Amino acid sequence: MASRQPLSRSRILDAAVSFADEHGVEALTMRKIADALEFRVMSLYNHVTNKQEMLAGMLDVVVGEIGDPPTEGSWKDMLQASAADAHHVLSRHKWAAGEWSKRLPGPNRLRYIESILRILTEAELGPEVVYRGYHAVTMHIVGFTLQEVGYEQSLGDDLEEMADAFLNEMASEFPYMAEHVRGHLDDHDHGDEFAFVLGLILDGLDRAAR
Amino acid sequence: MASRQPLSRSRILDAAVSFADEHGVEALTMRKIADALEFRVMSLYNHVTNKQEMLAGMLDVVVGEIGDPPTEGSWKDMLQASAADAHHVLSRHKWAAGEWSKRLPGPNRLRYIESILRILTEAELGPEVVYRGYHAVTMHIVGFTLQEVGYEQSLGDDLEEMADAFLNEMASEFPYMAEHVRGHLDDHDHGDEFAFVLGLILDGLDRAAR
DNA sequence: ACCTGAACACCGTTCAAGT
DNA sequence: ACCTGAACACCGTTCAAGT
């Protein structure tokens, strides 16, 4: 049996990440992770201290998938590239953005934060713009992804179905929202909204610094 | 006994909101809410269909505390005022921002969304900027608040203590982050960051529309 | 050092019985 | 129509016992 290699913290975290990717973090259970690894529940506690700490570890595994930002280019380009990478990673693990603000940073997240702050600091925008810019950039990465995955999660596969139902029943009461929902259903290309909004923020920071 | 008025959906939601405000949403339990109301658990199910639906209802109660946006002033001022109001409400109920993206909108949230979209649409920015602007504004309201309350929640009361410990142990490995943490501890006035970043976004939308 | 059976104190929810 | 006792199928976690 391939699975009879001994348990380890890292094997547990990987299994838990895969499970959450597939079934959502709210379905994640110590017992199910143990089952997937073909061990008994209690064995997990030899390698993780409890479920909360395991979730923090899982998030840090995900953050570890974000690569180092580029070292060439303008500070805006470097931040756009790094944020896009983070966005892709968080989109792959739809539960992760929701955990981000609930867990203290692990080693990988500390490294990631440091790399964002380094780019902002070396852009010579002044301490106040760096301070606020950091909050703005991370807020955008996590907040935007969270908004994107939120509806997918709660509506499941019948997203379009629900949207149609809404348009039929509520369009007269909520005309502006009906228009917005039509925007979602359109095959119109809305472009890269993530990069667009981040661009507004970065341009604004640039302007505020000068 | 004052509490022997009959149970109702609204009394349950109010009790649940108060409980979550005080103890956090992760400590919220059907049994505890029933206890607080001096009924038995199963009675709750006569008025809410299950815990998930109750949480959706709780969030909509909170959204109901957000007032209508002003009807006078520039579109930017109206959005700043409405967003600030939403921010205050979500800051009062620290668990609510985390639920926002996980629940489908209830009646109060539909009304709120409609009011934001109305302001954007009547600003005549063009359909594409309205579409993206709506996502940007709501992302900011929820994302920013989530980031603000996140650390407060997970670090509890010893936030400053933790920050000091970080500075002592990690400042050499993460110099930029150490500087950022110092920024948090400073008695410097960082101004209204929420309004500042929203301002960047709104100015950017304005510029994109022209 | 790592694994595990048994047990504890909880969960959300259903169902049938009461008024 | 609303309330509730009993029960079911789960949870996370501890502890003592095994290797």
Side-chain angles (χ1 to χ4, degrees):
Chain A
M1 272 305 84
S3 94
R4 267 298 120 173
Q5 58 190 283
L7 220 41
S8 73
R9 177 176 169 83
S10 146
R11 284 189 68 212
I12 292 171
L13 294 183
D14 288 346
V17 166
S18 298
F19 184 93
D21 288 350
E22 196 165 350
H23 303 102
V25 76
E26 68 289 332
L28 184 152
T29 266
M30 298 305 273
R31 282 168 164 89
K32 289 186 200 156
I33 301 308
D35 283 352
L37 291 161
E38 296 184 68
F39 281 80
R40 308 293 166 156
V41 211
M42 311 75 74
S43 308
L44 301 180
Y45 290 88
N46 290 311
H47 303 93
V48 298
T49 62
N50 57 41
K51 191 184 183 180
Q52 298 304 311
E53 191 266 344
M54 188 177 86
L55 283 163
M58 290 165 61
L59 180 60
D60 213 54
V61 165
V62 168
V63 176
E65 294 177 16
I66 306 173
D68 287 328
T71 50
E72 311 254 321
S74 73
W75 65 273
K76 288 190 210 174
D77 287 348
M78 289 190 285
L79 285 178
Q80 281 280 8
S82 180
D85 189 11
H87 181 233
H88 286 136
V89 169
L90 293 179
S91 300
R92 263 204 307 274
H93 306 284
K94 299 198 184 302
W95 51 274
E99 296 298 313
W100 187 285
S101 62
K102 293 199 277 198
R103 312 287 160 198
L104 287 177
N108 288 332
R109 179 131 70 110
L110 286 173
R111 250 194 309 278
Y112 181 69
I113 292 173
E114 185 75 1
S115 72
I116 299 292
L117 282 167
R118 184 180 48 71
I119 295 171
L120 282 166
T121 307
E122 294 181 350
E124 316 244 20
L125 305 164
E128 202 57 36
V129 172
V130 170
Y131 181 84
R132 290 165 156 191
Y134 166 71
H135 291 154
V137 169
T138 55
M139 179 271 285
H140 180 258
I141 292 172
V142 178
F144 195 95
T145 312
L146 203 54
Q147 184 163 256
E148 254 180 356
V149 301
Y151 282 88
E152 293 175 36
Q153 300 278 70
S154 50
L155 275 73
D157 294 329
D158 31 43
L159 205 152
E160 291 207 20
E161 200 175 309
M162 285 275 305
D164 281 332
F166 175 84
L167 284 178
N168 285 330
E169 290 166 39
M170 317 276 255
S172 60
E173 195 178 352
F174 302 105
Y176 297 108
M177 200 177 154
E179 182 58 30
H180 184 78
V181 170
R182 268 182 230 110
H184 276 277
L185 294 177
D186 265 10
D187 51 356
H188 252 75
D189 180 20
H190 293 287
D192 188 343
E193 269 201 88
F194 180 85
F196 170 75
V197 178
L198 181 55
L200 301 186
I201 292 171
L202 297 182
D203 287 346
L205 292 173
D206 199 0
R207 215 170 269 111
R210 288 195 261 104
Chain B
M1 273 302 92
S3 94
R4 268 298 119 172
Q5 60 191 282
L7 221 38
S8 74
R9 176 176 169 83
S10 143
R11 283 189 66 213
I12 291 171
L13 295 182
D14 288 346
V17 166
S18 300
F19 184 93
D21 288 351
E22 196 165 350
H23 303 102
V25 77
E26 68 290 333
L28 184 152
T29 267
M30 299 303 274
R31 281 168 164 90
K32 289 185 199 156
I33 302 306
D35 283 352
L37 291 160
E38 296 183 68
F39 282 80
R40 309 292 166 158
V41 212
M42 311 76 73
S43 308
L44 301 180
Y45 290 88
N46 290 312
H47 303 94
V48 297
T49 62
N50 56 42
K51 192 184 182 181
Q52 298 304 310
E53 192 265 346
M54 188 178 87
L55 282 163
M58 290 165 62
L59 180 60
D60 213 54
V61 166
V62 167
V63 176
E65 293 177 17
I66 306 173
D68 287 329
T71 51
E72 311 253 322
S74 72
W75 64 273
K76 289 191 209 175
D77 288 346
M78 290 191 284
L79 285 178
Q80 281 279 9
S82 180
D85 190 10
H87 181 233
H88 286 136
V89 170
L90 293 179
S91 301
R92 264 204 306 274
H93 307 284
K94 298 197 184 303
W95 51 275
E99 295 299 312
W100 189 284
S101 61
K102 293 200 276 198
R103 313 284 160 201
L104 289 177
N108 288 332
R109 179 131 70 110
L110 286 173
R111 249 194 310 279
Y112 180 70
I113 291 173
E114 186 74 0
S115 72
I116 299 292
L117 282 167
R118 185 179 48 70
I119 294 171
L120 281 165
T121 307
E122 293 181 352
E124 316 243 21
L125 305 165
E128 202 57 35
V129 172
V130 170
Y131 180 85
R132 291 164 156 192
Y134 166 72
H135 290 154
V137 169
T138 54
M139 180 269 287
H140 180 257
I141 292 171
V142 178
F144 195 96
T145 313
L146 203 53
Q147 184 163 254
E148 255 180 356
V149 300
Y151 282 87
E152 293 175 36
Q153 300 279 69
S154 49
L155 276 70
D157 294 330
D158 32 42
L159 205 152
E160 291 208 18
E161 200 175 309
M162 285 274 306
D164 281 333
F166 175 84
L167 285 178
N168 285 330
E169 291 166 37
M170 317 276 255
S172 59
E173 195 177 352
F174 301 106
Y176 297 108
M177 201 176 153
E179 182 57 31
H180 185 78
V181 170
R182 267 182 231 111
H184 275 277
L185 294 177
D186 267 9
D187 52 355
H188 252 76
D189 181 18
H190 294 287
D192 188 342
E193 269 201 89
F194 180 85
F196 169 75
V197 177
L198 182 56
L200 301 186
I201 293 172
L202 297 182
D203 287 345
L205 291 173
D206 199 359
R207 214 169 268 111
R210 290 195 259 103

